[in-house]
Amino acid sequence: MKFAPPPTPEQAEAVQQFRTGAPMKMIAFAGAGKTSTLMLMANQVPNRRGLMMCFNKSIATEAATKFPRNVTCKTAHSLAYGTVVKQGFHPETKMMKSPRSRTFDVSCVREKIPFHADLFRSIVATTITRFCQSDRVEIVERHVPKIPGFSDHDQEFAYKWAPLAAQLVWRRMVDPGDDMPMGHDGYVKLWALGNPRLFGDFIMVDEAQDLNPVLIAVVQSQQMQIVAVGDSHQQ
């Protein structure tokens, strides 16, 4: 029979802190035993339900084979997808639209576009992406990218009109009956805007240094113990 090695002093301290129920932030460099430490924690509280939010599907699949049954291992995208589908929104139908639906009308702009309309569409698309990854509930000027080489006039035009155009496109994206496509960032944002309540008594966040603001906001809004684990050398 193979016996697990005794916990290191650092692991023992982490387990002790976890059992207090207080939020935790752990720095774990590569090879530092992050997974084994989290497993030690979970095994200490068999009567508490936990959620392990993993960085990608392969990590979630592997974690599910290692963690005790009281812990569910999922990616943020999986959590978001499952929730919006239950609410009647089916992202896969939006992601299978033809490339032609990726264009949109720019007639909302009441001034002459001072550069090519396709470039304006690209700016609007980037604005939507930045909004989706942010913790803001509305599309505003700060989501508009600053374009290298743009004159002050062209940049001010983008700041003025891209948010309006992006708002109109976003409304089409979240309309199940519209042919405007929605990518993964889109349904995650839609999920976040619904103020989701995750299940369990604690949540463990893997690779926390890579969370974008929208996911940070979701995690911080939960009424449960939060254990964030990351590597400061990677971010």
Side-chain angles (χ1 to χ4, degrees), residues 65-141:
T65 67
K66 297 179 177 180
F67 277 78
R69 292 184 177 182
N70 61 313
V71 177
T72 300
C73 303
K74 288 183 175 290
T75 65
H77 286 83
S78 176
L79 292 168
Y81 189 93
T83 299
V84 298
V85 167
K86 287 181 181 179
Q87 295 171 346
F89 190 91
H90 296 275
E92 74 278 4
T93 63
K94 300 287 285 183
M95 290 187 284
M96 293 169 57
K97 301 300 183 182
S98 69
R100 288 179 298 176
S101 64
R102 295 183 182 276
T103 63
F104 52 87
D105 188 8
V106 295
S107 61
C108 63
V109 179
R110 302 305 181 188
E111 299 177 14
K112 178 178 174 55
I113 300 177
F115 41 84
H116 199 282
D118 284 346
L119 176 55
F120 180 71
R121 291 187 177 93
S122 177
I123 293 170
V124 171
T126 301
T127 299
I128 294 173
T129 297
R130 293 176 59 156
F131 161 68
C132 288
Q133 296 176 352
S134 77
D135 58 359
R136 299 295 295 266
V137 298
E138 295 181 348
I139 300 173
V140 294
E141 180 182 304

Side-chain angles (χ1 to χ4, degrees), residues 175-233:
D175 180 353
D178 196 285
D179 66 354
M180 182 60 65
M182 171 182 282
H184 297 290
D185 285 338
Y187 68 76
V188 169
K189 184 65 173 183
L190 182 62
W191 169 66
L193 289 172
N195 297 315
R197 284 291 168 259
L198 302 178
F199 54 86
D201 304 302
F202 62 89
I203 178 172
M204 295 174 167
V205 184
D206 182 33
E207 303 293 354
Q209 78 279 350
D210 291 326
L211 290 189
N212 56 30
V214 67
L215 292 179
I216 291 174
V218 169
V219 170
Q220 290 183 331
S221 70
Q222 303 308 308
Q223 301 299 313
M224 63 174 75
Q225 183 182 17
I226 300 171
V227 179
V229 188
D231 184 348
S232 58
H233 287 177

